[in-house]
Amino acid sequence: GFSKIIFFLTDGGVGTGGTCKPLDVIETVKNNAHLAKVFTFGISCFGTDKELVETCAREGGGCSFIIHDTQNLKAKVIEAL
C-alpha cells in the first residue's frame, strides 16, 4: 500500500488563544508516528516556533523546513516529496 504523509504547515502560533500547547502537538505526532510520516513547514516572515517545527518532524520521521518567504513554499513542498 501507500505510505501516509502529513504536511504540517504552521506559523508556530500554537497556544496563542486556545487550550492546545506546542507540547500537546508534539506528543500527538509522537504517539501517532507509526501511522504516517510528518513533514513540517514553519511559515512566517517574522519567525516561527523552530523547536515545534523541528521536533514534530523528528518525532514524525520526516523533515522540517523553515520558510521566511512564502514564494519558496512550493519548492520546499516538492523537495519534501
Side-chain angles (χ1 to χ4, degrees):
F2 292 102
S3 297
K4 293 181 182 177
I5 298 174
I6 296 172
F7 290 145
F8 174 34
L9 289 79
T10 181
D11 65 354
V14 176
T16 58
T19 58
C20 184
K21 297 184 178 11
L23 288 177
D24 297 331
V25 176
I26 292 167
E27 197 65 27
T28 299
V29 171
K30 183 177 181 178
N31 291 338
N32 293 284
H34 63 285
L35 300 174
K37 282 190 174 190
V38 176
F39 291 83
T40 59
F41 300 84
I43 303 170
S44 178
C45 297
F46 306 107
T48 187
D49 186 339
K50 189 175 179 182
E51 182 178 350
L52 172 68
V53 172
E54 291 177 350
T55 305
C56 282
R58 184 174 55 252
E59 294 293 345
C63 297
S64 64
F65 301 89
I66 303 295
I67 300 169
H68 302 287
D69 177 3
T70 56
Q71 291 184 359
N72 291 326
L73 179 60
K74 182 177 179 180
K76 292 297 182 181
V77 171
I78 290 171
E79 183 180 334
L81 293 173

